[in-house]
Amino acid sequence: MAGIALVGIQWGDEGKGKITDLLCEKVDVVVRYQGGNNAGHTVVVGEERYALHLLPTGILYEHCTPVIGPGVVVNPRVLIEEMDALSERGLSTERLRLSGNAHLIMPYHLELDMVTERRLGKNRLGTTKRGIGPAYADKAARIGLRAQDLLDPKIFSEKLEIALKEKNLLLTRVYGRLPLEHQDIVEEYLAYGTRLAPHIVDTNSLVQGALDSGRSVLFEGAQATMLDLDHGTYPFVTSSNPIAGGACAGAGVGPRDITRIIGISKAYCTRVGSGPFPSEADPADGEILVEAGGEYGTTTGRKRRCGWFDAVAARYACRLNTLTELVITKLDVLSAFEKIKVCVAYEFEGDRYEDFPPNQTIFNKCRPVYEEFAGWSEDITGARDLDDLPKEARAFLEGIEAMVSTTISHASVGPEREQILKVHEAGA
Ligand code: GDP
Ligand code: IMO
Ligand code: MG
């Protein structure tokens, strides 16, 4: 039995797609356990580039069963479009399994995501506008519709009627929008149901069965620790639990099913959307990181905010996820700097915080305390072994490893599959 969880430890876009892809070669089942199509996971294979939003990365491998677990919120239109796009590129999506318990993103969720952001004005969260928050809100309020409802027209219609009554009042009376038609949604969604029916199963028993028979299962986290609804920088978070602990609830397994937990972090840090970001770089350095790192969102195309590696937040995330190893990506991007900063503590009203502060006011207003590392300036994209790296790059990795007390197993030096090198034996 081998359950492996892979999680982002920053604010997303750490390169989870690339590392998941590498692991897929050796796993049998890949499960998405939270989030929805707010995710954008990039996989580069030779000339081919895939941007996966809802489909687990295992979809790219014929030997893998890709699973969308009960903790995911699914926009069926987007799912079908993504499946069709891969089919057009010659990949089979037949193996996809979708949990009947996964909640559906409905047309009113998309509208509500848009109008609530508009109403918040300068206080907006900067969501991906994919309806994620409103869908999870309905799940918690117990008025959500689930994938299995698509298979029962009567139930679907009844549940929709209950939900839509309230949503239409909200949309028309509070936001001045037009009401949505019950019949239109029924027709649209039942057609999706017909298409998705062969994929909708009890994924819990599938995943548990795989583990019980000794096959390996990879739990592919989307978003990241600092965007976690309970443990991130609330309210500037997403509405699910991307942390490793979330994999149990979101995929239907127990804590003892996961034995290896891999955290992914960039060698620097980025964030899309609003919210505090203590180690955000000054505009000049930020621009260099944007350009050198190609820091534009995979899902929304937005320019990512860029900053330096935040060791305080990383320490917090390593502990919270009980990482067994850390993978550092985009080390190659730091070749653009003579000096590299790392945020080692926060300062607020004369106090120094080396641990993640318990109060959001401190995190919002703190100043970063930086330690500087010497840069290396040479191109490292061809490095395949730790010894191929300049000594300054090795010192940087060692410095980070000591700060977060977690073994760095690999460093990635480019977007391509083979652009990776082993740093230390995990668990060493
Ligand atoms: P994810 O959401 O965590 O899967 O990350 P994204 O795919 O949204 O963003 C990561 C971006 O960095 C993608 O464009 C990747 O192709 C790219 N990438 C991944 N690893 C590396 C690396 O080591 N170096 C460079 N230069 N790019 C990388
Ligand atoms: P991957 O899996 C980066 C951010 C949004 C916004 C906040 C809430 O590619 O790392 P939401 O639409 O989820 O309600 O938006 O979360 N966000 C991400 N940022 N990477 C992601 O996914 C993200 N998914 C959501 O920008 O700040
Ligand atoms: Mg992404």
Side-chain angles (χ1 to χ4, degrees), residues 11-13 16 38-41 126-128 222-223 227 237-238 272 302:
W11 279 278
D13 304 324
K16 297 180 292 295
N38 47 349
H41 296 177
T127 72
T128 58
Q223 290 77 55
L227 289 172
V237 293
T238 191
V272 210
R302 287 179 292 176

Side-chain angles (χ1 to χ4, degrees), residues 12-16 38-42 297-299 304:
D13 304 324
E14 294 91 349
K16 297 180 292 295
N38 47 349
H41 296 177
T42 315
T298 311
T299 299
R304 295 175 182 146

Side-chain angles (χ1 to χ4, degrees), residues 20-21 23-30 56-67 92 95-96 216 218:
T20 305
D21 173 63
L23 289 160
C24 280
E25 287 180 354
K26 293 195 188 115
V27 301
D28 304 296
V29 180
V30 182
T57 301
I59 198 85
L60 303 177
Y61 287 83
E62 267 185 27
H63 70 270
C64 278
T65 305
V67 174
S92 165
R95 306 173 323 280
L96 176 72
S216 46
L218 176 62

Side-chain angles (χ1 to χ4, degrees), residues 19 36 50 63 103 124 138 148 160 189 241 248 275 301 309-310:
I19 308 303
Y50 301 95
H63 70 270
H103 277 249
R124 69 181 172 276
D138 278 1
Q148 59 181 291
L160 178 64
Y189 273 62
N241 291 115
C248 293
F309 184 84
D310 182 340

